[in-house]
C-alpha cells in the first residue's frame, strides 16, 4: 500500500516538479550559451499569456464557458500552466533585483505544487473508488471499510480546490503588481 502510494502519487509529483526545475535550468543555460540572455527577459510575457490561457478549464468548471470535453480542457490547463510556468521561471532567472517579481515567482511555484498535489491525489482517490466498485464492502469484506472511506477521500481531496484557488489568486495578484511596477519604472526614453 505504501509503495503504491509512492509510485502513483509521490513519484509522479516529483517527476513533474523536478522536471520543471531541470527544464528551467537547461533553458536558462542554453540562452546563456547562445548569448541570448535578453530573450529570457521577454519570456515572462508569453509565459503569463499561457498561464492566463490555462484558466479556460477553471471557467468551464464553473460553467462560465461551455464545453463538451472537460477532461481535454483539464489536460490543456495542465500543459499550458506548466509551459507558462517554465517561461516565467526562465524569465525570472537568477536576477535578485525585483522583490515583487520574486514574490510572484514564489507564489507561482506554490501554486504549481498545489496543482500537482491535487492532480495526483484526485487521480489516486478515483482509482481507489474504481477498484472498490459500487460495493460498500472493502477488500477484506467488512461492511463499509472500502467504498465509504474512498468516497470520503475523494470529498476531502475535492476540498483541496478551495485551497488551490486562493493560492492562484495570490499568484495572480502578485504577478499583476509586478507587471504594473514594470510599466511604472521602465526606462521609457
Amino acid at each position: 500500500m505504501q509503495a503504491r502510494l509512492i509510485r502513483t502519487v509521490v513519484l509522479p509529483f516529483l517527476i513533474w516538479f523536478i522536471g520543471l526545475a531541470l527544464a528551467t535550468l537547461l533553458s536558462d543555460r542554453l540562452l546563456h550559451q547562445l548569448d541570448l540572455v535578453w530573450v529570457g527577459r521577454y519570456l515572462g510575457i508569453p509565459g503569463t499569456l499561457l498561464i492566463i490561457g490555462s484558466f479556460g478549464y477553471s471557467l468551464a468548471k464553473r460553467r462560465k464557458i461551455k464545453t463538451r470535453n472537460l477532461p481535454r480542457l483539464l489536460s490543456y490547463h495542465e500543459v499550458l500552466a506548466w509551459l507558462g510556468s517554465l517561461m516565467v521561471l526562465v524569465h525570472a532567472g537568477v536576477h535578485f533585483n525585483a522583490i515583487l517579481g520574486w514574490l510572484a515567482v514564489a507564489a507561482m511555484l506554490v501554486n504549481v505544487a498545489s496543482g500537482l498535489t491535487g492532480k495526483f491525489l484526485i487521480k489516486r482517490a478515483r482509482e481507489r473508488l474504481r477498484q472498490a466498485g459500487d460495493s460498500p464492502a472493502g477488500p477484506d469484506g467488512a461492511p463499509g471499510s472500502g467504498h465509504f472511506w474512498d468516497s470520503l477521500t475523494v470529498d476531502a481531496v475535492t476540498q483541496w480546490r478551495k485551497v488551490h484557488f486562493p493560492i492562484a489568486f495570490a499568484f495572480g495578484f502578485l504577478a499583476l503588481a509586478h507587471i504594473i511596477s514594470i510599466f511604472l519604472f521602465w526606462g521609457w526614453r
Side-chain angles (χ1 to χ4, degrees):
M1 184 74 147
Q2 191 73 13
R4 181 165 164 73
L5 174 67
I6 291 171
R7 191 176 69 248
T8 60
V9 177
V10 176
L11 205 56
F13 171 84
L14 289 174
I15 289 170
W16 276 84
F17 206 73
I18 291 171
L20 179 62
L22 288 175
T24 300
L25 292 172
L26 290 172
S27 299
D28 193 56
R29 175 79 174 166
L30 182 64
L31 288 175
H32 278 83
Q33 282 186 333
L34 297 174
D35 200 27
L36 296 173
V37 177
W38 63 270
V39 171
R41 182 177 198 177
Y42 297 100
L43 282 178
I45 297 167
T48 300
L49 293 175
L50 285 174
I51 291 170
I52 290 170
S54 77
F55 285 113
Y57 171 74
S58 299
L59 293 173
K61 191 90 168 140
R62 288 168 181 72
R63 292 182 173 81
K64 302 294 183 194
I65 59 173
K66 293 183 186 346
T67 184
R68 289 195 170 109
N69 200 341
L70 205 55
R72 178 178 284 165
L73 212 51
L74 176 59
S75 295
Y76 290 154
H77 169 75
E78 293 167 353
V79 170
L80 291 175
W82 193 88
L83 286 173
S85 297
L86 171 64
M87 290 181 178
V88 169
L89 287 171
V90 173
H91 164 74
V94 291
H95 312 287
F96 294 101
N97 56 353
I99 188 71
L100 193 53
W102 276 100
L103 288 174
V105 166
M108 181 189 72
L109 286 173
V110 170
N111 194 41
V112 169
S114 168
L116 289 173
T117 300
K119 170 186 173 145
F120 293 112
L121 289 178
I122 289 172
K123 177 184 173 191
R124 180 175 183 271
R126 287 183 180 151
E127 284 174 2
R128 290 187 67 196
L129 269 177
R130 262 193 299 276
Q131 289 172 356
D134 290 330
S135 168
D140 60 353
S145 64
H147 186 70
F148 174 73
W149 294 110
D150 288 335
S151 64
L152 282 180
T153 302
V154 169
D155 188 49
V157 171
T158 328
Q159 297 300 318
W160 151 85
R161 290 185 180 112
K162 292 180 180 176
V163 173
H164 186 61
F165 179 76
I167 294 170
F169 182 79
F171 162 59
F173 176 79
L174 288 167
L176 184 61
H178 170 67
I179 291 166
I180 289 170
S181 72
I182 293 299
F183 281 116
L184 288 175
F185 298 110
W186 190 297
W188 291 100
R189 292 175 230 167

mmCIF file of all heavy atoms in Angstrom, residues 101-141:
data_model
loop_
_atom_site.group_PDB
_atom_site.id
_atom_site.type_symbol
_atom_site.label_atom_id
_atom_site.label_comp_id
_atom_site.label_asym_id
_atom_site.label_seq_id
_atom_site.Cartn_x
_atom_site.Cartn_y
_atom_site.Cartn_z
ATOM 1 N N GLY A 101 8.723 40.685 -8.104
ATOM 2 C CA GLY A 101 8.781 39.598 -9.086
ATOM 3 C C GLY A 101 9.087 38.263 -8.423
ATOM 4 O O GLY A 101 8.491 37.234 -8.762
ATOM 5 N N TRP A 102 10.003 38.262 -7.459
ATOM 6 C CA TRP A 102 10.346 37.020 -6.769
ATOM 7 C C TRP A 102 9.201 36.533 -5.892
ATOM 8 O O TRP A 102 8.998 35.322 -5.750
ATOM 9 C CB TRP A 102 11.635 37.187 -5.969
ATOM 10 C CG TRP A 102 12.804 36.966 -6.869
ATOM 11 C CD1 TRP A 102 13.572 37.917 -7.458
ATOM 12 C CD2 TRP A 102 13.293 35.712 -7.330
ATOM 13 N NE1 TRP A 102 14.523 37.324 -8.255
ATOM 14 C CE2 TRP A 102 14.373 35.970 -8.199
ATOM 15 C CE3 TRP A 102 12.927 34.390 -7.108
ATOM 16 C CZ2 TRP A 102 15.086 34.957 -8.832
ATOM 17 C CZ3 TRP A 102 13.647 33.386 -7.739
ATOM 18 C CH2 TRP A 102 14.703 33.676 -8.580
ATOM 19 N N LEU A 103 8.444 37.435 -5.303
ATOM 20 C CA LEU A 103 7.260 37.018 -4.547
ATOM 21 C C LEU A 103 6.241 36.358 -5.477
ATOM 22 O O LEU A 103 5.624 35.346 -5.125
ATOM 23 C CB LEU A 103 6.631 38.215 -3.829
ATOM 24 C CG LEU A 103 7.400 38.770 -2.638
ATOM 25 C CD1 LEU A 103 6.741 40.051 -2.124
ATOM 26 C CD2 LEU A 103 7.498 37.735 -1.532
ATOM 27 N N ALA A 104 6.087 36.941 -6.673
ATOM 28 C CA ALA A 104 5.169 36.351 -7.656
ATOM 29 C C ALA A 104 5.660 34.969 -8.074
ATOM 30 O O ALA A 104 4.866 34.030 -8.208
ATOM 31 C CB ALA A 104 5.027 37.270 -8.870
ATOM 32 N N VAL A 105 6.968 34.817 -8.289
ATOM 33 C CA VAL A 105 7.528 33.510 -8.667
ATOM 34 C C VAL A 105 7.315 32.506 -7.539
ATOM 35 O O VAL A 105 6.939 31.355 -7.784
ATOM 36 C CB VAL A 105 9.026 33.641 -9.033
ATOM 37 C CG1 VAL A 105 9.704 32.285 -9.093
ATOM 38 C CG2 VAL A 105 9.183 34.358 -10.367
ATOM 39 N N ALA A 106 7.544 32.916 -6.308
ATOM 40 C CA ALA A 106 7.327 32.014 -5.170
ATOM 41 C C ALA A 106 5.867 31.575 -5.099
ATOM 42 O O ALA A 106 5.572 30.385 -4.904
ATOM 43 C CB ALA A 106 7.751 32.694 -3.873
ATOM 44 N N ALA A 107 4.944 32.516 -5.278
ATOM 45 C CA ALA A 107 3.516 32.176 -5.264
ATOM 46 C C ALA A 107 3.178 31.248 -6.428
ATOM 47 O O ALA A 107 2.373 30.328 -6.276
ATOM 48 C CB ALA A 107 2.669 33.450 -5.329
ATOM 49 N N MET A 108 3.811 31.470 -7.581
ATOM 50 C CA MET A 108 3.564 30.603 -8.734
ATOM 51 C C MET A 108 4.047 29.186 -8.437
ATOM 52 O O MET A 108 3.351 28.212 -8.748
ATOM 53 C CB MET A 108 4.265 31.147 -9.976
ATOM 54 C CG MET A 108 4.020 30.303 -11.217
ATOM 55 S SD MET A 108 5.029 30.801 -12.600
ATOM 56 C CE MET A 108 6.632 30.227 -12.078
ATOM 57 N N LEU A 109 5.228 29.047 -7.822
ATOM 58 C CA LEU A 109 5.745 27.717 -7.510
ATOM 59 C C LEU A 109 4.859 27.000 -6.490
ATOM 60 O O LEU A 109 4.626 25.797 -6.612
ATOM 61 C CB LEU A 109 7.185 27.815 -6.998
ATOM 62 C CG LEU A 109 8.225 28.125 -8.070
ATOM 63 C CD1 LEU A 109 9.585 28.360 -7.440
ATOM 64 C CD2 LEU A 109 8.298 27.005 -9.095
ATOM 65 N N VAL A 110 4.358 27.725 -5.500
ATOM 66 C CA VAL A 110 3.427 27.128 -4.542
ATOM 67 C C VAL A 110 2.146 26.702 -5.269
ATOM 68 O O VAL A 110 1.593 25.626 -5.017
ATOM 69 C CB VAL A 110 3.106 28.106 -3.384
ATOM 70 C CG1 VAL A 110 1.967 27.603 -2.520
ATOM 71 C CG2 VAL A 110 4.352 28.359 -2.548
ATOM 72 N N ASN A 111 1.704 27.520 -6.214
ATOM 73 C CA ASN A 111 0.514 27.198 -6.989
ATOM 74 C C ASN A 111 0.738 25.951 -7.851
ATOM 75 O O ASN A 111 -0.128 25.078 -7.937
ATOM 76 C CB ASN A 111 0.117 28.392 -7.867
ATOM 77 C CG ASN A 111 -1.271 28.261 -8.419
ATOM 78 O OD1 ASN A 111 -2.182 27.843 -7.719
ATOM 79 N ND2 ASN A 111 -1.428 28.616 -9.666
ATOM 80 N N VAL A 112 1.892 25.857 -8.491
ATOM 81 C CA VAL A 112 2.217 24.673 -9.298
ATOM 82 C C VAL A 112 2.253 23.434 -8.402
ATOM 83 O O VAL A 112 1.686 22.393 -8.743
ATOM 84 C CB VAL A 112 3.558 24.856 -10.041
ATOM 85 C CG1 VAL A 112 4.038 23.547 -10.647
ATOM 86 C CG2 VAL A 112 3.434 25.911 -11.129
ATOM 87 N N ALA A 113 2.918 23.538 -7.254
ATOM 88 C CA ALA A 113 2.983 22.405 -6.324
ATOM 89 C C ALA A 113 1.588 22.013 -5.856
ATOM 90 O O ALA A 113 1.252 20.821 -5.774
ATOM 91 C CB ALA A 113 3.875 22.741 -5.135
ATOM 92 N N SER A 114 0.751 23.001 -5.575
ATOM 93 C CA SER A 114 -0.621 22.732 -5.154
ATOM 94 C C SER A 114 -1.400 22.037 -6.275
ATOM 95 O O SER A 114 -2.124 21.069 -6.036
ATOM 96 C CB SER A 114 -1.311 24.045 -4.770
ATOM 97 O OG SER A 114 -2.690 23.854 -4.616
ATOM 98 N N GLY A 115 -1.242 22.519 -7.492
ATOM 99 C CA GLY A 115 -1.939 21.912 -8.625
ATOM 100 C C GLY A 115 -1.505 20.477 -8.858
ATOM 101 O O GLY A 115 -2.340 19.588 -9.083
ATOM 102 N N LEU A 116 -0.200 20.231 -8.786
ATOM 103 C CA LEU A 116 0.295 18.864 -8.976
ATOM 104 C C LEU A 116 -0.168 17.957 -7.842
ATOM 105 O O LEU A 116 -0.525 16.797 -8.069
ATOM 106 C CB LEU A 116 1.821 18.867 -9.066
ATOM 107 C CG LEU A 116 2.418 19.451 -10.338
ATOM 108 C CD1 LEU A 116 3.928 19.551 -10.229
ATOM 109 C CD2 LEU A 116 2.022 18.620 -11.550
ATOM 110 N N THR A 117 -0.177 18.472 -6.630
ATOM 111 C CA THR A 117 -0.657 17.690 -5.496
ATOM 112 C C THR A 117 -2.110 17.279 -5.720
ATOM 113 O O THR A 117 -2.464 16.104 -5.573
ATOM 114 C CB THR A 117 -0.533 18.496 -4.187
ATOM 115 O OG1 THR A 117 0.841 18.822 -3.985
ATOM 116 C CG2 THR A 117 -1.056 17.708 -3.001
ATOM 117 N N GLY A 118 -2.933 18.232 -6.065
ATOM 118 C CA GLY A 118 -4.335 17.931 -6.328
ATOM 119 C C GLY A 118 -4.512 16.950 -7.461
ATOM 120 O O GLY A 118 -5.316 16.011 -7.378
ATOM 121 N N LYS A 119 -3.751 17.136 -8.526
ATOM 122 C CA LYS A 119 -3.852 16.251 -9.696
ATOM 123 C C LYS A 119 -3.616 14.798 -9.307
ATOM 124 O O LYS A 119 -4.408 13.923 -9.642
ATOM 125 C CB LYS A 119 -2.837 16.682 -10.748
ATOM 126 C CG LYS A 119 -2.682 15.692 -11.883
ATOM 127 C CD LYS A 119 -1.569 16.092 -12.827
ATOM 128 C CE LYS A 119 -1.339 14.992 -13.831
ATOM 129 N NZ LYS A 119 -0.982 15.452 -15.126
ATOM 130 N N PHE A 120 -2.542 14.534 -8.588
ATOM 131 C CA PHE A 120 -2.202 13.162 -8.274
ATOM 132 C C PHE A 120 -3.032 12.585 -7.138
ATOM 133 O O PHE A 120 -3.349 11.396 -7.140
ATOM 134 C CB PHE A 120 -0.706 13.036 -8.009
ATOM 135 C CG PHE A 120 0.096 13.284 -9.255
ATOM 136 C CD1 PHE A 120 0.899 14.400 -9.370
ATOM 137 C CD2 PHE A 120 0.016 12.426 -10.332
ATOM 138 C CE1 PHE A 120 1.617 14.649 -10.521
ATOM 139 C CE2 PHE A 120 0.726 12.661 -11.504
ATOM 140 C CZ PHE A 120 1.529 13.771 -11.595
ATOM 141 N N LEU A 121 -3.437 13.404 -6.179
ATOM 142 C CA LEU A 121 -4.292 12.892 -5.106
ATOM 143 C C LEU A 121 -5.686 12.547 -5.625
ATOM 144 O O LEU A 121 -6.257 11.530 -5.256
ATOM 145 C CB LEU A 121 -4.367 13.890 -3.959
ATOM 146 C CG LEU A 121 -3.096 14.030 -3.127
ATOM 147 C CD1 LEU A 121 -3.271 15.093 -2.055
ATOM 148 C CD2 LEU A 121 -2.688 12.709 -2.517
ATOM 149 N N ILE A 122 -6.233 13.394 -6.477
ATOM 150 C CA ILE A 122 -7.554 13.110 -7.046
ATOM 151 C C ILE A 122 -7.488 11.875 -7.932
ATOM 152 O O ILE A 122 -8.369 11.015 -7.881
ATOM 153 C CB ILE A 122 -8.089 14.339 -7.808
ATOM 154 C CG1 ILE A 122 -8.468 15.434 -6.815
ATOM 155 C CG2 ILE A 122 -9.285 13.965 -8.674
ATOM 156 C CD1 ILE A 122 -8.833 16.759 -7.440
ATOM 157 N N LYS A 123 -6.428 11.763 -8.709
ATOM 158 C CA LYS A 123 -6.259 10.578 -9.567
ATOM 159 C C LYS A 123 -6.228 9.313 -8.718
ATOM 160 O O LYS A 123 -6.896 8.329 -9.019
ATOM 161 C CB LYS A 123 -4.979 10.703 -10.380
ATOM 162 C CG LYS A 123 -4.682 9.505 -11.245
ATOM 163 C CD LYS A 123 -3.357 9.659 -11.955
ATOM 164 C CE LYS A 123 -2.991 8.394 -12.691
ATOM 165 N NZ LYS A 123 -1.613 8.419 -13.163
ATOM 166 N N ARG A 124 -5.458 9.338 -7.641
ATOM 167 C CA ARG A 124 -5.341 8.163 -6.766
ATOM 168 C C ARG A 124 -6.677 7.825 -6.107
ATOM 169 O O ARG A 124 -7.082 6.664 -6.043
ATOM 170 C CB ARG A 124 -4.291 8.401 -5.694
ATOM 171 C CG ARG A 124 -4.132 7.207 -4.767
ATOM 172 C CD ARG A 124 -2.987 7.433 -3.790
ATOM 173 N NE ARG A 124 -2.794 6.263 -2.970
ATOM 174 C CZ ARG A 124 -3.419 6.045 -1.808
ATOM 175 N NH1 ARG A 124 -4.266 6.931 -1.345
ATOM 176 N NH2 ARG A 124 -3.188 4.956 -1.114
ATOM 177 N N ALA A 125 -7.381 8.844 -5.631
ATOM 178 C CA ALA A 125 -8.663 8.589 -4.968
ATOM 179 C C ALA A 125 -9.676 8.003 -5.946
ATOM 180 O O ALA A 125 -10.416 7.078 -5.604
ATOM 181 C CB ALA A 125 -9.190 9.881 -4.359
ATOM 182 N N ARG A 126 -9.694 8.516 -7.171
ATOM 183 C CA ARG A 126 -10.630 7.975 -8.174
ATOM 184 C C ARG A 126 -10.288 6.542 -8.549
ATOM 185 O O ARG A 126 -11.182 5.730 -8.764
ATOM 186 C CB ARG A 126 -10.646 8.881 -9.401
ATOM 187 C CG ARG A 126 -11.377 10.171 -9.134
ATOM 188 C CD ARG A 126 -11.468 11.031 -10.362
ATOM 189 N NE ARG A 126 -12.195 12.252 -10.034
ATOM 190 C CZ ARG A 126 -12.015 13.400 -10.627
ATOM 191 N NH1 ARG A 126 -11.137 13.512 -11.607
ATOM 192 N NH2 ARG A 126 -12.715 14.459 -10.273
ATOM 193 N N GLU A 127 -8.988 6.229 -8.640
ATOM 194 C CA GLU A 127 -8.581 4.852 -8.922
ATOM 195 C C GLU A 127 -9.047 3.917 -7.814
ATOM 196 O O GLU A 127 -9.532 2.819 -8.079
ATOM 197 C CB GLU A 127 -7.061 4.766 -9.067
ATOM 198 C CG GLU A 127 -6.538 5.301 -10.371
ATOM 199 C CD GLU A 127 -5.009 5.332 -10.409
ATOM 200 O OE1 GLU A 127 -4.347 4.900 -9.428
ATOM 201 O OE2 GLU A 127 -4.483 5.805 -11.429
ATOM 202 N N ARG A 128 -8.892 4.347 -6.574
ATOM 203 C CA ARG A 128 -9.321 3.512 -5.446
ATOM 204 C C ARG A 128 -10.833 3.312 -5.456
ATOM 205 O O ARG A 128 -11.317 2.231 -5.145
ATOM 206 C CB ARG A 128 -8.878 4.135 -4.127
ATOM 207 C CG ARG A 128 -7.362 4.047 -3.944
ATOM 208 C CD ARG A 128 -6.936 4.487 -2.599
ATOM 209 N NE ARG A 128 -7.433 3.538 -1.603
ATOM 210 C CZ ARG A 128 -7.486 3.794 -0.310
ATOM 211 N NH1 ARG A 128 -7.074 4.951 0.150
ATOM 212 N NH2 ARG A 128 -7.941 2.901 0.533
ATOM 213 N N LEU A 129 -11.571 4.346 -5.844
ATOM 214 C CA LEU A 129 -13.025 4.194 -5.929
ATOM 215 C C LEU A 129 -13.402 3.199 -7.014
ATOM 216 O O LEU A 129 -14.296 2.375 -6.830
ATOM 217 C CB LEU A 129 -13.680 5.544 -6.224
ATOM 218 C CG LEU A 129 -14.099 6.371 -5.028
ATOM 219 C CD1 LEU A 129 -14.662 7.696 -5.468
ATOM 220 C CD2 LEU A 129 -15.101 5.617 -4.183
ATOM 221 N N ARG A 130 -12.712 3.282 -8.154
ATOM 222 C CA ARG A 130 -12.987 2.337 -9.246
ATOM 223 C C ARG A 130 -12.681 0.910 -8.815
ATOM 224 O O ARG A 130 -13.403 -0.023 -9.144
ATOM 225 C CB ARG A 130 -12.170 2.692 -10.485
ATOM 226 C CG ARG A 130 -12.935 3.480 -11.510
ATOM 227 C CD ARG A 130 -12.202 3.529 -12.829
ATOM 228 N NE ARG A 130 -10.891 4.164 -12.744
ATOM 229 C CZ ARG A 130 -10.673 5.458 -12.811
ATOM 230 N NH1 ARG A 130 -11.674 6.282 -12.973
ATOM 231 N NH2 ARG A 130 -9.451 5.942 -12.726
ATOM 232 N N GLN A 131 -11.581 0.729 -8.094
ATOM 233 C CA GLN A 131 -11.206 -0.606 -7.619
ATOM 234 C C GLN A 131 -12.229 -1.140 -6.626
ATOM 235 O O GLN A 131 -12.516 -2.336 -6.602
ATOM 236 C CB GLN A 131 -9.823 -0.576 -6.976
ATOM 237 C CG GLN A 131 -8.703 -0.385 -7.953
ATOM 238 C CD GLN A 131 -7.366 -0.158 -7.247
ATOM 239 O OE1 GLN A 131 -7.294 -0.069 -6.022
ATOM 240 N NE2 GLN A 131 -6.308 -0.055 -8.031
ATOM 241 N N ALA A 132 -12.774 -0.267 -5.798
ATOM 242 C CA ALA A 132 -13.745 -0.697 -4.793
ATOM 243 C C ALA A 132 -15.079 -1.042 -5.434
ATOM 244 O O ALA A 132 -15.856 -1.799 -4.876
ATOM 245 C CB ALA A 132 -13.931 0.395 -3.737
ATOM 246 N N GLY A 133 -15.346 -0.497 -6.615
ATOM 247 C CA GLY A 133 -16.620 -0.752 -7.271
ATOM 248 C C GLY A 133 -17.749 -0.081 -6.532
ATOM 249 O O GLY A 133 -17.555 0.840 -5.756
ATOM 250 N N ASP A 134 -18.947 -0.569 -6.744
ATOM 251 C CA ASP A 134 -20.111 0.018 -6.079
ATOM 252 C C ASP A 134 -20.416 -0.650 -4.754
ATOM 253 O O ASP A 134 -21.358 -0.292 -4.071
ATOM 254 C CB ASP A 134 -21.337 -0.061 -6.991
ATOM 255 C CG ASP A 134 -21.206 0.874 -8.170
ATOM 256 O OD1 ASP A 134 -20.544 1.916 -8.029
ATOM 257 O OD2 ASP A 134 -21.762 0.553 -9.220
ATOM 258 N N SER A 135 -19.638 -1.642 -4.398
ATOM 259 C CA SER A 135 -19.889 -2.365 -3.159
ATOM 260 C C SER A 135 -19.453 -1.537 -1.957
ATOM 261 O O SER A 135 -18.365 -0.988 -1.938
ATOM 262 C CB SER A 135 -19.125 -3.681 -3.171
ATOM 263 O OG SER A 135 -19.137 -4.240 -1.896
ATOM 264 N N PRO A 136 -20.289 -1.456 -0.929
ATOM 265 C CA PRO A 136 -19.886 -0.730 0.269
ATOM 266 C C PRO A 136 -18.849 -1.501 1.083
ATOM 267 O O PRO A 136 -18.296 -0.990 2.027
ATOM 268 C CB PRO A 136 -21.182 -0.551 1.044
ATOM 269 C CG PRO A 136 -22.084 -1.610 0.556
ATOM 270 C CD PRO A 136 -21.669 -1.932 -0.852
ATOM 271 N N ALA A 137 -18.587 -2.749 0.721
ATOM 272 C CA ALA A 137 -17.625 -3.553 1.465
ATOM 273 C C ALA A 137 -16.214 -3.299 0.953
ATOM 274 O O ALA A 137 -16.006 -3.028 -0.220
ATOM 275 C CB ALA A 137 -17.963 -5.035 1.321
ATOM 276 N N GLY A 138 -15.272 -3.413 1.850
ATOM 277 C CA GLY A 138 -13.877 -3.225 1.481
ATOM 278 C C GLY A 138 -13.272 -4.511 0.961
ATOM 279 O O GLY A 138 -13.965 -5.529 0.828
ATOM 280 N N PRO A 139 -11.977 -4.505 0.687
ATOM 281 C CA PRO A 139 -11.323 -5.685 0.156
ATOM 282 C C PRO A 139 -11.350 -6.876 1.125
ATOM 283 O O PRO A 139 -11.342 -8.009 0.711
ATOM 284 C CB PRO A 139 -9.875 -5.238 -0.079
ATOM 285 C CG PRO A 139 -9.755 -3.852 0.440
ATOM 286 C CD PRO A 139 -11.099 -3.377 0.850
ATOM 287 N N ASP A 140 -11.443 -6.593 2.425
ATOM 288 C CA ASP A 140 -11.487 -7.678 3.409
ATOM 289 C C ASP A 140 -12.908 -8.170 3.645
ATOM 290 O O ASP A 140 -13.130 -9.061 4.441
ATOM 291 C CB ASP A 140 -10.858 -7.218 4.723
ATOM 292 C CG ASP A 140 -11.565 -6.011 5.336
ATOM 293 O OD1 ASP A 140 -12.462 -5.452 4.666
ATOM 294 O OD2 ASP A 140 -11.217 -5.634 6.468
ATOM 295 N N GLY A 141 -13.882 -7.556 2.955
ATOM 296 C CA GLY A 141 -15.272 -7.981 3.072
ATOM 297 C C GLY A 141 -16.028 -7.302 4.189
ATOM 298 O O GLY A 141 -17.233 -7.467 4.314
#
